[in-house]
Amino acid sequence: MTQTITLPWTTVCPLDRLDPDRGVAALVDGVQVALFRTTDGLFAIDNRDPVSGAYVLSRGIVGSRGGVPTVASPLHKQVYDLRSGDCLDLPGVTVRRHDVRCRDGLVEVRLRQEG
């Protein structure tokens, strides 16, 4: 059985540093995270593309598919659901997602680790 371990919240940046529909990479407790601000909210996923192994998802193309907020890898164009981390093009492929929130104008991320 997989157990999710949650870590403390880490302040990353002011909200106004995140441009709508553009990704930005941040280092959170030693983990590269891709942050996105869309009309659907804030999202945080690992920056590592699980298909190529490159740390590029923050540079992906933000969009939507069937009303689902997404990011497409800039390398091979696989599309990931920003809410769940599931790849919409390759069943069984996922990118780890993290908790993200805005408090007092600051974006905070809490890493999620499978344990």
Side-chain angles (χ1 to χ4, degrees), residues 5-67:
I5 300 166
T6 54
L7 300 174
W9 290 97
T10 300
T11 301
V12 177
C13 66
L15 180 63
D16 61 10
R17 294 287 304 268
L18 298 180
D19 291 330
D21 298 324
R22 308 247 2 184
V24 66
L27 192 61
V28 179
D29 297 325
V31 175
Q32 282 194 38
V33 173
L35 293 171
F36 300 93
R37 178 182 178 187
T38 75
T39 55
D40 295 301
L42 293 171
F43 300 95
I45 59 175
D46 276 355
N47 196 32
R48 185 179 179 277
D49 179 346
V51 173
S52 69
Y55 291 86
V56 296
L57 290 180
S58 63
R59 291 185 260 152
I61 300 166
V62 176
S64 66
R65 186 183 284 181

Side-chain angles (χ1 to χ4, degrees), residues 1-5 113-115:
M1 179 177 196
T2 302
Q3 178 185 17
T4 300
I5 300 166
Q113 297 187 354
E114 301 299 319

Side-chain angles (χ1 to χ4, degrees), residues 52-97:
S52 69
Y55 291 86
V56 296
L57 290 180
S58 63
R59 291 185 260 152
I61 300 166
V62 176
S64 66
R65 186 183 284 181
V68 172
T70 61
V71 64
S73 171
L75 294 179
H76 300 290
K77 309 302 184 233
Q78 287 86 7
V79 175
Y80 297 90
D81 180 336
L82 287 172
R83 300 170 309 174
S84 67
D86 293 334
C87 182
L88 302 179
D89 299 320
L90 299 171
V93 174
T94 62
V95 62
R96 186 173 51 163
R97 68 171 192 81

